[in-house]
Amino acid sequence: MTINVIAEIGCNHKGEITIAKKLIDEAVKCGATVAKFQKRNNKELLSEEQYNAPHPNKANSYGDTYGAHREFLEFTIEQHKELKLYCEEKGIIYSTSVWDITSAKEAASLEPELIKIPSAMNNHFELLTWLCKNYEGEIHISTGMTNYNEIETLINFFEEQKRNQDLVLYNCTSGYPVPYENVCLLELTRLQKQYQNRVKDIGFSGHHIGTAIDIAAYTLGAKWIERHFTINKNWKGTDHGASLEPNELYELVQDLKNVELALCYKEQEILDIEQIQKDKLKYKG
């Protein structure tokens, strides 16, 4: 079973294109499949009150208001085009999450292989309708903060749009970071039982600490593993603490490759490596 690893850079670039490219470089070194960013039109996404309110955590804010903070971290579509070209040069797939229709239109104009819908927007059916009708690539959607009936409604919608075979559905718990007992990894198996024949793939998007959970998710059948990615967990910003640093992402990718090799049946009842030991050690009676 092939495994794909998404390094979600998101806004961990701190609003600097040079850091974004550095994160792409590190994701490539780690062996990730996708480098993913985020795209927001903040004045469309936020009410005037939300836009002008102070950031709830001043220590993590890049502006005097929440709107100014979000604008500071936002790349233009021209910058996203630059990042996509940079990804192509480096041999990694570019992608972005989109939070609103304007961002979806901008992202789709770059024709990426996949576009992600975050958990917070998986009930934004105007956004989903636009993508289904106008974007031909894969649509990946997380299911944090989403009850069973809402997930079923989402799948029905994609079936009605005849786009369900382009849909990748992610098990996810929304939190930064998520305690292990709230990861609820067996929800992944529930999604598989319910939907693996109705969608293209099932994935796992984690916000926990460490990488053991991701290995378990893969062995339970997740074909996509998505983790937030940063250079330094101590950097200013809300996502860094639940992100993997390069050494961790590298180890995760290597461990996933090793587990992929190990997840098989024996080609013969006694392997060649065992025969040597059998000849030397096995009781012969």
Side-chain angles (χ1 to χ4, degrees), residues 149-165:
N149 287 336
E150 290 170 331
I151 295 173
E152 180 65 25
T153 298
L154 181 65
I155 303 304
N156 287 335
F157 168 81
F158 272 84
E159 289 175 330
E160 290 165 5
Q161 297 290 322
K162 296 181 169 44
R163 292 299 306 275
N164 54 300
Q165 289 306 315

Side-chain angles (χ1 to χ4, degrees), residues 236-255:
K236 179 179 176 180
T238 54
D239 290 348
H240 296 284
S243 300
L244 298 180
E245 292 181 350
N247 64 312
E248 295 173 301
L249 183 62
Y250 177 81
E251 289 178 3
L252 172 59
V253 172
Q254 295 307 308
D255 285 346

Side-chain angles (χ1 to χ4, degrees), residues 3-15:
I3 182 66
N4 299 284
V5 177
I6 298 178
E8 183 175 0
I9 295 167
C11 297
N12 283 347
H13 48 69
K14 304 198 293 183

